[in-house]
Amino acid sequence: MSTVTSSSRGCGTSFPSKTSSLPALNSPNFIRIGKNSQSDRWSSHRLSLVHENRKARGTTVRMALVDERQSTGQNVAHPPPQILAYDLVQGDLVKWRWKEDKSVPDTPTAVLLHGILGSGKNWGTFARRLVHEFPTWQFLLVDLRCHGDSASLKKRGPHSVVSTASDVLKLVGQLRLTPRVLVGHSFGGKVVLSMVEQAAKPLPRPVRAWVLDATPGKVRAGGDGEDHPRELISFLRQLPKVVSSKNEVYNALMEEGFSNDVAQWVVTNLRSTGPSSSSFSWAFDLDGIAELYQSYEDTNLWNFVENLPRGVHVNFLKAERSLHRWALEDLQRIHAAEELASEEGGGVEMHVLEDAGHWVHTDNPDGLFRILSSSFQVLRA
């Protein structure tokens, strides 16, 4: 049994370690593409290096995305420009396929997207559980623009739901992926909807999209004294960009009235600026994130949901104890879209995750796993 540390919640809470039999973070089936740092506990390798290491050990190669071979059979050492940082988590039965080899079918792929102030790592523990149960699948965990390791990849504005979705579409196109399942939490849920709306060829038909605790329209975040993302982002932008200690930021957040959970999580996004750890700076672009959150509130995708293309199936999941309020009109409109979509050859479904707040993949991972598993059962090994 190995010890696995739960991923942080996005704009939320960090969690204690749990015992698990899932693949370790340094498993040969876990591939990290992003900015390397001594503090990064995730396995970080170029795909070409991973391939060479596996070849030397005589183990099976199970990745087939960025690496290409020249006619001489040697690895290409010049990968294309990086669009976004990402993690690739693959099941044990994922088969290696060169792009020219049409005899091996495409690996079934799902894309997992985080919320505001989060990163792809938020999905790490859950993704490893999925590949343990569905070993023929692979899962792409993306750091969205202005977040995580993608924050160092400067992106042109406007920073919006639409531009964020476009980034992910470009990434899956560059990796020659045709994802069959898209899962987005909160802000990431609207990004998923925008991806399907924008996509012509990068996404296959049928495609299943999961929007976790987010609606297509008005954002009702916070309330009843709970932390509000807009207020948190605004306060963080007022702090110095470089601070002398994490405690300095933690204390400032507590004095401002934010919850202990949020304060503890926020300081995990501070990175040492040098080897002496005498100063820290943010791992994300707060100015860009402020634009993204404004776009999250402003973007309305109801028209798309109510006029889905044939073969697209959108699943909305409401957390039973969600702090992000679902209005009665939202629920009624989704149920109306369910009926309309079934008549037009598409699909809309509404699910409720019991015993969970907004942070669904950490509040009730067992329940979420049971609900999402239907999307992966068809191609189960």
Side-chain angles (χ1 to χ4, degrees):
M1 303 287 282
S2 59
T3 300
V4 178
T5 302
S6 299
S7 300
S8 57
R9 295 186 176 188
C11 185
T13 310
S14 54
F15 290 85
S17 299
K18 295 182 180 179
T19 302
S20 172
S21 60
L22 301 179
L25 293 177
N26 60 356
S27 162
N29 293 337
F30 189 94
I31 302 165
R32 173 67 170 166
I33 300 296
K35 181 180 177 181
N36 295 322
S37 67
Q38 292 179 347
S39 63
D40 190 352
R41 65 184 177 85
W42 296 74
S43 177
S44 304
H45 304 286
R46 288 287 183 190
L47 291 184
S48 57
L49 295 178
V50 175
H51 171 68
E52 289 300 321
N53 291 340
R54 289 179 177 178
K55 185 176 180 182
R57 293 196 302 267
T59 56
T60 302
V61 178
R62 299 190 182 100
M63 55 198 194
L65 299 181
V66 178
D67 256 357
E68 298 178 15
R69 291 209 171 189
Q70 298 171 327
S71 58
T72 59
Q74 296 178 344
N75 285 333
V76 176
H78 304 288
Q82 194 172 345
I83 297 172
L84 293 170
Y86 62 90
D87 298 326
L88 180 65
V89 185
Q90 296 182 314
D92 287 336
L93 299 182
V94 171
K95 293 181 174 60
W96 173 273
R97 178 178 78 90
W98 301 119
K99 67 171 184 173
E100 296 86 359
D101 183 5
K102 303 301 182 184
S103 64
V104 179
D106 288 337
T107 299
T109 302
V111 178
L112 305 181
L113 303 182
H114 61 81
I116 287 288
L117 291 172
S119 73
K121 293 184 180 70
N122 299 157
W123 282 109
T125 298
F126 196 85
R128 293 195 302 280
R129 179 173 180 176
L130 285 169
V131 296
H132 185 259
E133 183 70 17
F134 305 105
T136 62
W137 281 75
Q138 62 188 7
F139 296 84
L140 188 69
L141 284 56
V142 182
D143 286 358
L144 299 175
R145 64 164 56 203
C146 305
H147 291 79
D149 288 340
S150 293
S152 62
L153 305 172
K154 299 302 182 183
K155 295 288 184 181
R156 284 187 175 183
H159 299 303
S160 66
V161 169
V162 171
S163 62
T164 304
S166 177
D167 290 343
V168 183
L169 287 172
K170 289 176 183 176
L171 177 64
V172 298
Q174 184 184 75
L175 300 180
R176 298 184 182 87
L177 292 172
T178 51
R180 305 184 189 193
V181 178
L182 306 172
V183 182
H185 176 240
S186 195
F187 170 79
K190 272 194 179 178
V191 173
V192 160
L193 290 177
S194 183
M195 285 177 65
V196 182
E197 183 183 43
Q198 293 182 49
K201 294 182 180 180
L203 298 177
R205 299 288 187 268
V207 61
R208 296 185 71 89
W210 287 87
V211 181
L212 306 183
D213 214 38
T215 69
K218 185 175 180 179
V219 175
R220 300 174 178 86
D224 298 334
E226 300 291 346
D227 299 297
H228 193 295
R230 178 189 293 281
E231 295 172 358
L232 176 60
I233 294 167
S234 177
F235 181 72
L236 294 179
R237 293 176 73 191
Q238 297 173 24
L239 297 177
K241 292 185 178 180
V242 178
V243 296
S244 59
S245 72
K246 293 184 178 182
N247 280 339
E248 177 183 335
V249 175
Y250 172 84
N251 292 333
L253 287 164
M254 294 297 291
E255 290 175 5
E256 189 67 15
F258 290 100
S259 68
N260 176 66
D261 285 345
V262 164
Q264 285 185 335
W265 175 78
V266 165
V267 298
T268 67
N269 290 283
L270 288 167
R271 300 287 182 267
S272 175
T273 58
S276 63
S277 298
S278 59
S279 60
F280 299 83
S281 62
W282 294 112
F284 37 52
D285 174 0
L286 285 169
D287 291 339
I289 286 175
E291 285 186 53
L292 290 175
Y293 187 78
Q294 183 63 53
S295 174
Y296 176 46
E297 290 198 334
D298 294 342
T299 300
N300 189 318
L301 292 164
W302 275 115
N303 184 61
F304 170 69
V305 171
E306 293 168 340
N307 297 276
L308 286 180
R310 180 175 294 273
V312 174
H313 196 111
V314 176
N315 297 269
F316 290 95
L317 183 141
K318 174 187 178 298
E320 184 181 37
R321 297 185 283 102
S322 177
L323 303 181
H324 292 217
R325 304 300 187 221
W326 288 68
L328 179 60
E329 64 184 83
D330 295 327
L331 301 176
Q332 291 174 334
R333 203 164 177 178
I334 289 174
H335 287 309
E338 282 185 286
E339 298 180 9
L340 181 63
S342 63
E343 296 172 2
E344 299 297 327
V348 175
E349 285 188 55
M350 184 72 197
H351 309 260
V352 176
L353 180 61
E354 297 179 351
D355 193 26
H358 182 60
W359 316 110
V360 292
H361 47 313
T362 49
D363 283 352
N364 186 0
D366 293 339
L368 181 62
F369 183 84
R370 286 192 296 270
I371 292 174
L372 291 182
S373 289
S374 62
S375 292
F376 311 109
Q377 295 283 356
V378 177
L379 294 173
R380 182 172 178 169

